[in-house]
Amino acid sequence: MRWRRPLFSSTGVSLVEIMVALVVIVVGLAGLRHAFPTHLATEQQALEQVQAALLGKNQLEQLRLRGFSALATALLATTPEPFVDSQQQVVDGPFRWQAEVHHEAEDLLAVHVRVVWPWPAQTHQVRLATYVSRH
């Protein structure tokens, strides 16, 4: 008959082995703790960047659809309260926009929209532009 070695030692686990295992677990968890908040903040910033771009594009398109003659004489204001999108739904969030129209030529207008929103360290912005011609 062959002698089989038992899976578990009858002497048990030493205190040193337990301490080493605990140190490895604590170091691993500490690394994960520092990784997640940075990832979540970056994800939130990217989400707000996309939302700002979409809101700005929507506003730019609404202005462009007004037509040349309406834009040439219009006084454009900043964000109305509340901020309403094209489907007349209120947009929650810190986004604010500002539009400007510049005469590039006799029959050409440049329409610029700037969307800004706060972020803990600084204010971010997205700038969009289009041209509207008389014809």
Side-chain angles (χ1 to χ4, degrees):
M1 235 173 141
R2 284 176 105 183
W3 173 255
R4 282 190 138 178
R5 195 172 193 195
L7 290 176
F8 299 102
S9 170
S10 61
T11 59
V13 180
S14 72
L15 184 59
V16 173
E17 292 172 330
I18 292 174
M19 294 299 284
V20 168
L22 284 175
V23 167
V24 168
I25 290 171
V26 167
V27 168
L29 290 176
L32 287 175
R33 182 180 61 90
H34 289 293
F36 280 114
T38 304
H39 173 71
L40 294 176
T42 304
E43 183 179 333
Q44 180 65 28
Q45 184 178 6
L47 176 65
E48 288 181 356
Q49 180 99 15
V50 168
Q51 286 176 332
L54 290 173
L55 292 171
K57 184 178 178 186
N58 179 47
Q59 186 61 33
L60 192 66
E61 187 64 21
Q62 286 181 9
L63 291 171
R64 190 184 68 77
L65 289 175
R66 286 186 186 179
F68 181 88
S69 58
L71 286 175
T73 59
L75 294 175
L76 301 176
T78 57
T79 306
E81 296 293 337
F83 195 177
V84 178
D85 69 7
S86 63
Q87 285 133 14
Q88 302 305 312
Q89 298 202 5
V90 175
V91 177
D92 291 328
F95 302 103
R96 297 290 175 253
W97 60 267
Q98 183 178 20
E100 297 175 353
V101 176
H102 302 284
H103 291 272
E104 295 290 319
E106 185 177 325
D107 291 343
L108 185 66
L109 298 174
V111 182
H112 299 270
V113 171
R114 182 173 63 113
V115 179
V116 297
W117 70 99
W119 190 251
Q122 65 185 18
T123 300
H124 290 278
Q125 66 179 340
V126 172
R127 293 176 181 258
L128 303 161
T130 191
Y131 292 94
V132 178
S133 67
R134 186 183 305 267
H135 306 290

